[in-house]
Amino acid sequence: MGERKFTESQAERIELFQDVYEGRIPKRVPVEVSVSWEAAIRYSGLELKEAQWNTELYGVFFDKVCKEFNTDKSPIMPTLRNPVHYWLLGSKAIIMSESGYMQHPEIYCLEPEEYDLFIEDPYQCMVEKLLPRLYEGLDAGKDEKALNLARAFHAKNRTGAVMGATMAEMIEKYQFAAFPAGGMTEAPFDFLADFIRSFSGIAKDIRRYPEKVLKACDAVLPHMQKLAVVPSSSRYSRTFIPLHMAPFMRPKDFDQFWWPTFKKLMDYIAEKNVGVKAFVEHDWGDKIDHLGELGNRVEFQFEYGDPQKIKQTLGNKHIISGLYPITLLQTGTEKECTDKAKALLDVLALDGGYIFNTDKTIYSLEGKIADNLKAVIETVKTYGRY
């Protein structure tokens, strides 16, 4: 097969991101905004509980959002939480609410007295003990469990193929910049907190069983490394890492439990010459200096924080995105929304190293949110030229 040819418009958009990733100043600030699957469905006038199950409707809401929001990467991506396979597996960890949104309740699957078992062989423990506790379909006899798993994988692959084909169609139709999907992983401590012990459970464990928590983080690190680097990974196909627990921890606990194995994970990814996009959840004001210690030109999407301090601390060696408050799109006038975008550009876009993005995924386009977002996107494209 020959090398893929891009149109001039698409090539220009790709170059914007490549320039930022490589440390060059692009022609203008690239725009990357993420609209959730649920927001896109409702914006298209469809019912959540129907459209999430009906693959024939995927193209309708994908096209509606891609057509109306002139971002540089697609404003909507395939969801990680399609309900079909979760339902087939009898998931307790990811469930659909009455409103139709997929949610992650506070849940755990490892008992404190089982830490030693987990530390000895995390993968075996997860397969044999933990997954059956999270998914009722895997808590069954050998034959029934195999059948449930096969059904779920078939459904996941089928819906994934439709989403992938729909996404490829949108990229070509609207000339978005796109790179192959990279890996996705977590800080070892966050992985333990997310499903294994829960946020509240891990907060107690660092007081009651500190040595076991530290050993568990070390034990699960190789698994997190494996998830981080996949065959398609590169400087452009970046590994996504959501940073969960750190802002809710005391600096002393953060330094002892969270940072060491995360630093090892980041060093491993850097050694493989793979780029990283990290979603910096909540406010890292008292821990941001740690991020400055990292190499590898990480893209940090911030939820909250002081733009000036973030730029000063990280701007010389990393990429900054996020910080635009989606709440303003709901409450502000068009002028207030565009003025906020300009203010962020004045601080964060100086000397490059900035990708415009909102502070979090947009979960609603109702009311005046959509019109304000469109105005912000166009403002960034004109005001954000170098």
Side-chain angles (χ1 to χ4, degrees):
M1 294 179 65
E3 187 174 329
R4 182 183 171 192
K5 302 294 184 182
F6 297 102
T7 65
E8 182 178 352
S9 174
Q10 194 173 28
E12 287 179 353
R13 282 175 156 173
I14 291 172
E15 186 178 16
L16 293 175
F17 290 95
Q18 289 177 332
D19 284 344
V20 174
Y21 294 153
E22 297 293 347
R24 300 185 294 265
I25 297 179
K27 293 181 179 178
R28 64 168 172 82
V29 172
V31 180
E32 181 179 3
V33 169
S34 179
V35 174
S36 75
W37 154 282
E38 294 93 345
I41 290 171
R42 297 186 65 172
Y43 186 63
S44 302
L46 303 173
E47 291 293 329
L48 272 179
K49 292 185 177 181
E50 177 186 3
Q52 291 183 83
W53 297 87
N54 188 348
T55 56
E56 294 181 0
L57 296 177
Y58 289 2
V60 175
F61 60 85
F62 267 73
D63 191 78
K64 171 78 170 175
V65 171
C66 289
K67 180 179 180 180
E68 295 193 17
F69 297 92
N70 188 27
T71 50
D72 293 311
K73 285 186 179 180
S74 172
I76 179 174
M77 298 296 289
T79 182
L80 296 174
R81 295 185 173 182
N82 186 291
V84 180
H85 65 276
Y86 286 116
W87 176 74
L88 287 169
L89 286 174
S91 174
K92 301 175 185 177
I94 303 293
I95 60 175
M96 181 179 285
S97 68
E98 291 185 2
S99 64
Y101 282 81
M102 300 299 290
Q103 296 180 336
H104 169 33
E106 173 82 347
I107 191 171
Y108 70 92
C109 56
L110 180 78
E111 297 295 340
E113 57 269 21
E114 295 173 320
Y115 259 115
D116 289 339
L117 184 66
F118 181 85
I119 291 165
E120 182 180 355
D121 191 334
Y123 188 79
Q124 183 177 356
C125 182
M126 285 188 281
V127 171
E128 295 183 356
K129 285 190 172 292
L130 306 188
L131 287 175
R133 294 172 182 173
L134 294 175
Y135 301 97
E136 292 179 348
L138 301 181
D139 187 16
K142 183 177 180 180
D143 292 341
E144 184 181 353
K145 178 166 57 177
L147 183 59
N148 290 338
L149 188 61
R151 286 171 174 165
F153 261 94
H154 173 72
K156 186 176 189 299
N157 290 338
R158 182 179 62 84
T159 55
V162 176
M163 280 191 282
T166 304
M167 189 73 263
E169 181 184 346
M170 296 300 108
I171 289 169
E172 291 303 311
K173 184 175 181 179
Y174 296 106
Q175 298 295 286
F176 293 121
F179 303 98
M184 180 176 177
T185 190
E186 287 187 283
F189 187 91
D190 285 344
F191 183 77
L192 293 177
D194 212 357
F195 292 103
I196 307 297
R197 286 293 296 137
S198 80
F199 279 25
S200 59
I202 200 75
K204 297 175 184 176
D205 292 350
I206 62 175
R207 302 282 175 266
R208 298 173 179 175
Y209 325 103
E211 292 303 319
K212 292 187 185 296
V213 173
L214 290 171
K215 289 179 180 179
C217 287
D218 285 331
V220 84
L221 175 60
H223 185 60
M224 298 297 99
Q225 291 172 332
K226 184 176 181 180
L227 293 175
V229 180
V230 298
S232 60
S233 295
S234 70
R235 300 299 306 164
Y236 303 145
S237 297
R238 300 195 147 222
T239 297
F240 178 67
I241 308 179
L243 309 182
H244 293 314
M245 285 292 292
F248 305 103
M249 301 174 72
R250 297 185 305 176
K252 177 182 176 182
D253 294 333
F254 168 84
D255 289 339
Q256 181 180 3
F257 296 100
W258 197 94
W259 181 255
T261 45
F262 174 71
K263 179 65 163 56
K264 291 177 183 178
L265 174 64
M266 295 296 281
D267 288 345
Y268 172 84
I269 299 172
E271 289 169 3
K272 300 296 182 180
N273 197 31
V274 170
V276 171
K277 177 178 179 178
F279 177 40
V280 188
E281 297 183 18
H282 205 60
D283 191 344
W284 274 59
D286 62 346
K287 303 178 179 74
I288 194 171
D289 288 341
H290 284 75
L291 299 181
E293 296 175 15
L294 300 173
N296 199 31
R297 196 165 175 76
V298 178
E299 177 186 346
F300 291 111
Q301 180 184 354
F302 283 89
E303 186 172 11
Y304 303 117
D306 178 355
Q308 191 73 50
K309 181 178 179 181
I310 291 171
K311 181 67 174 179
Q312 182 178 355
T313 306
L314 303 177
N316 290 331
K317 58 189 300 189
H318 295 296
I319 300 163
I320 301 168
S321 72
L323 291 173
Y324 188 92
I326 60 172
T327 53
L328 183 61
L329 298 173
Q330 182 179 30
T331 61
T333 64
E334 180 178 310
K335 186 176 186 306
E336 288 171 335
C337 291
T338 56
D339 283 349
K340 178 63 176 179
K342 291 177 181 179
L344 286 174
L345 287 166
D346 287 341
V347 175
L348 298 174
L350 186 66
D351 300 325
Y354 176 57
I355 297 173
F356 179 84
N357 207 334
T358 52
D359 59 357
K360 57 181 71 69
T361 298
I362 297 171
Y363 280 94
S364 173
L365 289 168
E366 296 179 2
K368 55 184 178 179
I369 298 174
D371 287 339
N372 280 340
L373 179 59
K374 292 173 187 178
V376 166
I377 291 169
E378 296 309 315
T379 295
V380 175
K381 287 191 168 188
T382 55
Y383 191 79
R385 293 190 173 276
Y386 290 99

